[in-house]
Amino acid sequence: DDPEVVYPIKDDERFVLDLLRAQKILVVQGTGFNWPKPDHFRIVTLPRVADLEEAISRIATFLETYRQD
């Protein structure tokens, strides 16, 4: 295990779909932007601040218990 890994995400496409299903938040997997490892995702910050705060809070809630097999 990599001691610098905060969340053990092995498949970023699966993460994006799991987050969408669980929290109704759409992000884009990092590999969709030619990032070589599946350990990043991208968000678009166009909504109002209140909407972003809610979305970030829901992502945090999702990540608290999210684990990939």
Side-chain angles (χ1 to χ4, degrees):
D1 291 331
D2 185 345
E4 295 189 26
V5 172
V6 177
Y7 299 103
I9 296 170
K10 299 172 188 163
D11 181 337
D12 59 352
E13 288 183 44
R14 179 176 164 196
F15 167 78
V16 167
L17 290 173
D18 291 344
L19 176 63
L20 179 62
R21 288 180 184 122
Q23 293 294 327
K24 309 300 185 250
I25 297 173
L26 179 62
V27 297
V28 178
Q29 73 275 13
T31 55
F33 290 89
N34 295 321
W35 187 258
K37 296 181 182 180
D39 60 355
H40 282 74
F41 64 90
R42 295 195 179 210
I43 59 173
V44 175
T45 57
L46 297 176
R48 297 174 307 176
V49 170
D51 293 336
L52 286 173
E53 289 173 341
E54 179 183 345
I56 298 299
S57 175
R58 288 168 44 199
I59 291 171
T61 298
F62 178 77
L63 286 171
E64 286 175 2
T65 59
Y66 182 74
R67 300 292 177 267
Q68 289 185 352
D69 298 330

